[in-house]
């Protein structure tokens, strides 16, 4: 047995939770105490709710420790690494005994995420050791034809994971039909849906899989160049992609006769986005790569015929590409064995919001939404009541609790009025106001509308104004009808997906939570007690002990009162943040 | 002449914003290059912290794109600034996950503590307060980012505490 391995999860989420400090602490301690270990890093395994994560692999087995701050790190180094006695209470997963967190992993099938959290993303050798670049080597050695690659992808049933769900093999076939010396393959890494982070995790955790998927796609369609369009908000993803590109070039996977395939001259470059949601739309993305304002244009011609620099272009999402090497290595049938009749394989979801275990999960299509939220997500935080789940971001909608047995597949989710989208699942509980959620999304689409189509540009603004007045208790009787009318007009008169789907968050909340709209409009009440204009916080003098905790925690010093005496909230200064409400141990703050 | 510290190259003085010779190598790099306008604007902003007006005619000359069009591009994308920003840019996430977990309280508390509206810069030039949509750390919502550090599971008062700490550190550095 070699040295004990200690691997720290250094994805963006881990780093934000303090993993870099944990890493340094372990390094420092082991150096000082001369404990001989092999310290390594990996990215996010998806258990974001337990970050920072540290895995220890010794001769007995592997132990994944959760929430390892510096204090816990000291303890783990001392007890586990020095005295060889694992610290049981911090272990979230191990191959030696069952843990509560097993249910998070047990129900997953990892294909796109097969390497995330299991290797060092900055080390190409580790990728190669995990069947990395095996698919492209196979193409080169077996002389697999372009048509055969496309056929395999077609048979796998893989559909685009960027939201549209268009069959990937079909898309590749179209693009391969146009002959041109210059042809492009683009990876859409713009991940604009606020509340989704699947693509970021894949890029940070396994950049080579995406590159390999692009190389395979590039070969299949006969591309001369690849472009990764990555949002600038993901600096770590860009850094790791750059490292991966350099390594892939050094090993000959990119460049002249790439991967040893004679005559296949192919390289990939990164283009950094500049902060515009609409640039996730393919024609806008192309305009942005060309250095223009990212405004969508009419299709046809589709990018397959005339895309970047008016040349045939194929665009796929990060997760779509990450699936490709696995499909080639394991066969189309193995992939299609997962899923439902029309939605094959697996889908990655970013679980966030009011769910106990927020993080990244990959599940076979056909699982129910309820299973994702309860079996994997562990249910609702604070055991509050599950109200709805938002899927598909600004283009999607809110699926209510009573439809949570809907299965995860393109058609079933569409039937609810939401969309599968790129994989964001934001869970909402009884304290989330659905009118406010609709207002939130309209505010987003209004800001992000490129302004080309009048109905999208002005219509979203009108809808937002109506929603705003409803949430401040100034809603009118005619408002619901007006929202429905505007929604239809925006859908019918917008050129691109942004406008065509912008009303969805309003339409689904109107469909499932009409009573909440009515309560705001008719009774000036917010049933979720979330709309700030419609609520007040006061102190119950009977219960207040004068402990001063509320006053200390008030960010705007709106609470007066002497120690051991009943406190008082000045309503004119109160920003209704609820800090006092959450901090008070005596339930003396009343929300009404 | 005002000198801004660069928040990207930490610890170094930001270059003189009226010295346009600094972008000469960038202009040469992207001159006549297809699709070079946005990377050129990005690297210019990286250098000065914003896009100084004097850079526009030079960029126009190098790229062959009319200045009006360059303004069109610069104003289209959220990333570009036409005015100098504070030394620390405080980006409060208002993505979906952060929104349903009270990101608004974070911004409101910071507005109150810094005494500037959302989007504003403090008079001492230390902080610019901004709202952004999703930093990709949704599992730690609500989240904010200052420089390259991300802070999760925030409350209004926690955010204020972090900003105050930076301010104290800054004034100590100034005294040294
Ligand atoms: C407004 C808008 C935003 C979009 N944002 C993204 C995005 O962030 N990432 C993405 O992969 N696809 C996005 N799409 C979908 C793309 O246009 C395109 O369908 C997708 O990248 C194709 O890849 P796929 O077939 O692999 O899914 C967006 C579409 C629209 C209309
Ligand atoms: S919603 Fe705030 S980080 Fe994603």
């Amino acid at each position: 047995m070699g040295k004990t391995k200690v691997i720290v999860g250094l994805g963006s989420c881990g780093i934000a939770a303090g993993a870099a400090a944990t890493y340094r602490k372990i390094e420092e301690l082991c150096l000082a105490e001369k404990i001989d270990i092999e310290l390594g890093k990996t990215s996010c395994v998806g258990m974001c709710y337990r970050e920072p994560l540290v895995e220890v692999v010794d001769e007995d087995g592997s132990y994944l420790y959760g929430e390892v701050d510096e204090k816990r790190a000291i303890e783990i180094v001392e007890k586990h690494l020095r005295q060889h006695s694992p610290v049981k209470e911090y272990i979230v997963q191990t191959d030696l005994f069952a843990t509560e967190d097993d249910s998070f992993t047990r129900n997953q099938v990892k294909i796109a995420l097969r390497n995330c959290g299991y290797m060092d993303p900055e080390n190409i050798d580790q990728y190669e050791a995990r069947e990395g670049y095996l698919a492209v080597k196979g193409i080169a050695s077996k002389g697999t034809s372009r048509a055969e690659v496309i056929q395999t992808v077609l048979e796998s049933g893989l559909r685009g994971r960027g939201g549209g769900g268009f069959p990937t093999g079909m898309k590749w076939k179209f693009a391969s039909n146009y002959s041109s010396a210059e042809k492009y393959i683009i990876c859409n890494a713009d991940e604009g849906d606020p509340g989704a982070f699947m693509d970021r995790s894949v890029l940070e955790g396994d950049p080579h899989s995406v590159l390999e998927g692009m190389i395979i796609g590039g070969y299949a369609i006969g591309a001369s160049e690849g472009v990764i369009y990555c949002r600038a908000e993901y600096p770590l993803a860009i850094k790791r992609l750059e490292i991966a590109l350099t390594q892939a070039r050094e090993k000959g996977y990119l460049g002249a006769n790439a991967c040893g395939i004679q005559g296949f001259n192919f390289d990939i470059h990164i283009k950094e986005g500049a902060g515009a949601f609409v640039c996730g739309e393919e024609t806008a993305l192309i305009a942005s790569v060309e250095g223009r304002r990212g405004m969508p244009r009419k299709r046809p011609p589709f990018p397959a015929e005339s895309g970047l620099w008016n040349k045939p272009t194929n665009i796929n999402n990060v997760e779509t590409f990450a699936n490709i090497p696995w499909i080639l290595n394991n066969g189309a049938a193995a992939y299609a064995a997962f899923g439902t009749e029309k939605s094959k394989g697996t889908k990655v979801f970013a679980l966030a919001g009011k769910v106990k275990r927020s993080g990244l999960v990959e599940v076979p299509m056909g699982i129910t939404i309820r299973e994702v939220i309860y079996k994997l997500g562990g249910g609702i935080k604070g055991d509050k009541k599950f109200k709805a789940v938002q899927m598909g971001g600004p283009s999607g909608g809110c699926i209510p609790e009573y439809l949570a047995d809907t299965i995860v597949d393109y058609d079933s989710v569409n039937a609810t009025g939401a969309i599968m989208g790129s994989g964001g699942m934001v869970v909402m509980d009884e304290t989330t106001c659905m009118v406010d959620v609709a207002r939130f999304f309209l505010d987003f689409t209004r800001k992000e509308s490129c302004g080309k189509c009048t109905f999208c540009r002005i219509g979203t603004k009108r809808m937002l104004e109506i929603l705003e007045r409803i949430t401040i208790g100034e809603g009118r009787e005619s408002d619901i009808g007006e929202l429905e009318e505007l929604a239809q007009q925006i859908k019918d008169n917008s050129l691109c997906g942004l406008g065509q789907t912008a009303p969805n968050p309003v339409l689904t909340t109107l469909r499932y939570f009409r009573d909440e709209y009515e309560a705001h409009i008719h009774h000036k009440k917010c049933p979720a007690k979330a709309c700030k204009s419609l609520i007040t916080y006061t102190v119950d003098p009977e219960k207040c002990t004068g402990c001063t905790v509320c006053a200390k925690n008030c960010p705007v010093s709106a609470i007066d009162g002497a120690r051991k005496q009943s406190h008082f909230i000045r309503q004119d200064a109160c920003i209704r943040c609820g800090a006092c409400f959450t901090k008070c141990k005596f339930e003396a703050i009343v929300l009404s | 002449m005002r000198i801004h510290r660069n928040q990207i190259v930490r610890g170094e003085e930001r270059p003189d914003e009226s010295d346009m010779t600094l972008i000469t190598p960038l202009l040469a790099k992207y001159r006549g290059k297809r699709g070079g306008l946005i990377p050129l604007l990005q690297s210019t902003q990286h250098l000065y912290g914003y896009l100084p007006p004097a850079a526009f005619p030079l960029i126009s000359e190098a790229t062959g794109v009319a200045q009006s069009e360059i303004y069109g591009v610069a104003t289209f994308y959220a990333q570009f600034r036409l005015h100098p920003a504070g030394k620390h840019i405080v980006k409060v996430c208002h993505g979906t996950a952060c929104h349903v977990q009270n990101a608004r309280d974070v911004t409101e508390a910071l507005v109150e503590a810094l005494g500037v509206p959302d989007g504003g810069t403090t008079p001492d030039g230390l902080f610019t307060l901004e709202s952004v949509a999703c930093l990709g750390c949704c599992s730690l919502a609500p989240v904010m980012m200052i420089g390259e550090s991300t802070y999760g599971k925030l409350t209004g008062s926690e955010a204020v505490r972090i900003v105050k700490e930076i301010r104290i550190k800054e004034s100590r550095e100034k005294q040294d």
Side-chain angles (χ1 to χ4, degrees):
Chain A
M1 177 73 204
K3 283 184 209 173
T4 298
K5 276 192 215 150
V6 179
I7 304 156
V8 183
L10 290 171
S12 281
C13 40
I15 294 171
T22 302
Y23 184 92
R24 281 194 300 271
K25 192 86 214 168
I26 295 175
E27 192 174 33
E28 178 197 308
L29 287 172
C30 289
L31 211 66
E33 311 204 8
K34 301 204 169 55
I35 304 174
D36 195 19
I37 55 152
E38 193 183 318
L39 184 60
K41 61 175 183 294
T42 185
S43 201
C44 177
V45 273
M47 282 190 172
C48 308
Y49 62 101
R50 290 285 198 204
E51 294 280 10
L53 289 162
V54 176
E55 192 185 2
V56 178
V57 187
D58 62 18
E59 59 255 32
D60 299 326
S62 96
Y63 310 79
L64 186 66
Y65 286 104
E67 287 149 74
V68 186
D69 51 12
E70 292 183 57
K71 221 171 103 204
R72 285 192 175 188
I74 297 171
E75 207 176 326
I76 292 166
V77 169
E78 177 58 31
K79 293 199 179 139
H80 192 158
L81 302 182
R82 229 159 74 103
Q83 302 168 11
H84 305 286
S85 106
V87 195
K88 258 196 159 165
E89 57 271 38
Y90 305 153
I91 294 175
V92 294
Q93 210 150 53
T94 168
D95 40 18
L96 300 178
F97 51 85
T99 64
E100 184 197 328
D101 291 82
D102 283 344
S103 57
F104 184 76
T105 340
R106 198 187 309 128
N107 298 294
Q108 297 194 48
V109 174
K110 294 202 174 182
I111 294 179
L113 300 179
R114 63 194 176 282
N115 295 323
C116 286
Y118 303 107
M119 57 164 229
D120 179 351
E122 298 179 13
N123 186 331
I124 191 170
D125 300 332
Q126 291 193 13
Y127 177 65
E128 285 178 322
R130 300 178 60 88
E131 301 195 335
Y133 292 110
L134 195 69
V136 288
K137 280 182 196 153
I139 292 175
S141 64
K142 287 184 241 154
T144 317
S145 73
R146 291 168 45 189
E148 282 170 308
V149 172
I150 294 175
Q151 191 57 33
T152 305
V153 176
L154 262 176
E155 281 169 13
S156 74
L158 174 65
R159 293 169 68 169
R161 300 293 189 237
F166 194 81
T168 306
M170 206 112 88
K171 221 180 195 174
W172 287 12
K173 201 166 182 175
F174 292 147
S176 72
N177 285 341
Y178 294 96
S179 60
S180 165
E182 247 182 84
K183 210 188 248 190
Y184 297 96
I185 189 154
I186 298 179
C187 173
N188 190 342
D190 200 40
E191 193 155 65
D193 171 4
F197 52 94
M198 308 75 48
D199 294 351
R200 173 185 66 72
S201 292
V202 172
L203 294 170
E204 286 178 2
D206 190 14
H208 285 290
S209 275
V210 179
L211 299 188
E212 190 178 0
M214 287 182 76
I215 295 170
I216 296 165
Y219 169 72
I221 69 161
S224 51
E225 205 183 321
V227 178
I228 303 172
Y229 187 86
C230 188
R231 62 193 297 238
E233 287 88 341
Y234 290 173
L236 188 61
I238 294 174
K239 186 185 137 212
R240 291 194 175 152
L241 274 172
E242 271 164 359
I243 294 171
L245 280 172
T246 310
Q247 293 170 341
R249 282 189 200 114
E250 278 166 7
K251 292 224 174 188
Y253 295 123
L254 291 170
N257 302 317
C259 310
I261 304 170
Q262 285 306 312
F264 177 46
N265 304 322
F266 181 77
D267 206 342
I268 299 174
H269 302 280
I270 302 172
K271 276 272 177 181
E272 233 179 88
F277 170 67
V278 71
C279 288
E281 195 280 338
E282 49 189 27
T283 60
L285 187 154
I286 289 168
S288 180
V289 174
E290 290 175 353
R292 294 180 285 122
R293 286 164 73 98
M295 296 173 79
R297 63 158 174 81
K298 205 170 107 245
R299 297 176 304 180
F302 284 91
E305 183 185 348
S306 175
L308 184 58
W309 309 115
N310 300 320
K311 301 293 178 198
T313 302
N314 180 81
I315 302 181
N316 281 121
N317 164 264
V318 171
E319 188 187 330
T320 311
F321 280 124
N323 278 300
I324 298 285
W326 191 94
I327 292 173
L328 264 75
N329 287 334
N330 296 276
Y335 191 77
F338 296 107
T340 63
E341 193 198 335
K342 288 192 182 147
S343 304
K344 299 295 184 195
T346 58
K347 178 76 196 90
V348 181
F349 288 102
L351 263 181
K354 309 280 181 83
V355 63
K356 272 189 193 148
R357 301 169 178 166
S358 56
L360 211 62
V361 299
E362 182 169 0
V363 289
M365 299 270 194
I367 190 173
T368 69
I369 294 171
R370 195 184 301 279
E371 283 176 291
V372 174
I373 294 171
Y374 281 89
K375 272 198 183 157
L376 289 95
I380 309 299
K381 255 186 213 168
D383 292 316
K384 290 214 170 73
K385 228 175 112 205
F386 170 34
K387 187 179 202 174
V389 56
Q390 212 285 340
M391 283 178 74
S395 305
C398 294
I399 299 172
E401 188 273 339
Y402 70 87
L403 289 179
D405 292 314
T406 303
I407 59 166
V408 168
D409 102 340
Y410 289 94
D411 308 296
S412 310
V413 177
N414 281 350
T416 67
I419 59 164
M420 182 92 106
S422 57
M425 260 197 196
V426 182
V427 179
M428 297 164 180
D429 67 13
E430 56 196 329
T431 64
T432 313
C433 168
M434 302 317 276
V435 186
D436 178 64
V437 168
R439 185 204 58 76
F440 165 78
F441 280 112
L442 259 289
D443 183 42
F444 181 83
T445 35
R446 189 216 26 112
K447 280 187 200 136
E448 296 295 339
S449 166
C450 80
K452 189 167 183 164
C453 307
T454 316
F455 280 87
C456 175
R457 182 181 71 240
I458 300 173
T460 51
K461 174 122 175 81
R462 289 291 95 82
M463 283 183 86
L464 175 64
E465 285 164 358
I466 296 173
L467 291 164
E468 273 175 345
R469 71 173 175 245
I470 295 177
T471 53
I472 58 167
E474 290 173 9
R476 302 172 195 158
E477 296 294 321
S478 58
D479 277 350
I480 292 181
E482 219 170 297
L483 281 174
E484 282 169 333
E485 196 186 327
L486 277 165
Q488 200 51 48
Q489 287 172 341
I490 297 170
K491 273 177 168 286
D492 292 344
N493 295 293
S494 298
L495 187 63
C496 86
L498 190 147
Q500 286 161 6
T501 59
N504 286 354
V506 180
L507 292 175
T508 51
T509 46
L510 270 174
R511 182 159 151 196
Y512 300 119
F513 301 97
R514 207 182 188 88
D515 53 330
E516 284 196 35
Y517 280 83
E518 286 165 353
H520 282 77
I521 296 171
H522 304 318
H523 311 296
K524 313 292 172 213
K525 280 213 167 80
C526 174
K529 294 183 186 161
C531 290
K532 300 212 160 153
S533 311
L534 306 178
I535 57 166
T536 48
Y537 288 97
T538 45
V539 179
D540 180 350
E542 298 283 308
K543 288 185 177 164
C544 180
T545 63
C547 73
T548 75
V549 161
C550 58
K552 277 192 199 123
N553 279 286
C554 178
V556 292
S557 310
I559 306 181
D560 296 334
R563 175 170 281 283
K564 301 214 168 138
Q565 270 168 27
S566 181
H567 280 50
F568 175 77
I569 302 176
R570 276 180 288 112
Q571 294 301 329
D572 55 335
C574 174
I575 57 169
R576 301 183 178 94
C577 67
C580 51
F581 185 75
T582 31
K583 292 282 177 190
C584 180
K585 286 193 197 108
F586 307 99
E587 292 176 6
I589 309 283
V590 185
L591 168 60
S592 53
Chain B
M1 189 177 57
R2 262 169 74 203
I3 294 185
H4 288 273
R5 285 261 203 89
N6 191 333
Q7 74 276 14
I8 300 155
V9 189
R10 237 177 269 158
E12 281 175 34
E13 294 297 316
R14 180 177 285 170
D16 177 358
E17 63 195 57
S18 62
D19 183 0
M20 280 301 132
T21 59
L22 293 170
I23 59 167
T24 312
L26 296 176
L27 296 171
K29 183 174 168 193
Y30 291 105
R31 181 172 297 272
K33 210 173 179 182
R34 217 166 53 157
L37 176 61
I38 292 175
L40 178 50
L41 290 175
Q42 284 169 329
S43 45
T44 304
Q45 176 157 307
H46 194 82
L47 198 62
Y48 296 102
Y50 77 112
L51 297 174
F56 282 79
L58 302 174
I59 293 172
S60 171
E61 192 271 326
T63 55
V65 180
Q67 277 195 61
S68 56
E69 214 172 300
I70 300 176
Y71 270 103
V73 170
T75 50
F76 183 86
Y77 294 100
Q79 185 185 35
F80 296 120
R81 300 169 191 285
L82 297 174
H83 302 285
K87 178 175 171 184
H88 301 278
I89 298 175
V90 182
K91 295 180 179 168
V92 181
C93 177
H94 286 262
T96 318
C98 290
H99 178 76
V100 300
Q101 292 180 93
N102 303 327
R104 222 178 328 183
D105 298 341
V106 176
T107 293
E108 275 170 13
L110 286 172
V111 162
E112 183 80 23
L114 293 173
V116 292
D118 190 13
T121 301
T122 52
D124 59 4
L126 264 187
F127 297 103
T128 295
L129 181 62
E130 279 183 357
S131 292
V132 294
C134 195
L135 294 165
C137 290
C138 322
S139 47
L140 301 173
V143 174
M144 74 173 175
M145 197 170 177
I146 305 178
E148 281 174 7
S149 307
T150 309
Y151 305 86
K153 298 187 180 166
L154 291 172
T155 58
S157 31
E158 177 65 10
V160 169
R161 192 190 59 76
I162 292 165
V163 165
K164 276 188 181 153
E165 232 164 56
I166 296 176
R167 176 162 271 160
I168 292 168
K169 218 193 237 163
E170 285 287 342
S171 63
R172 244 190 244 132
E173 264 171 36
K174 221 173 178 179
Q175 281 165 3
D176 290 342

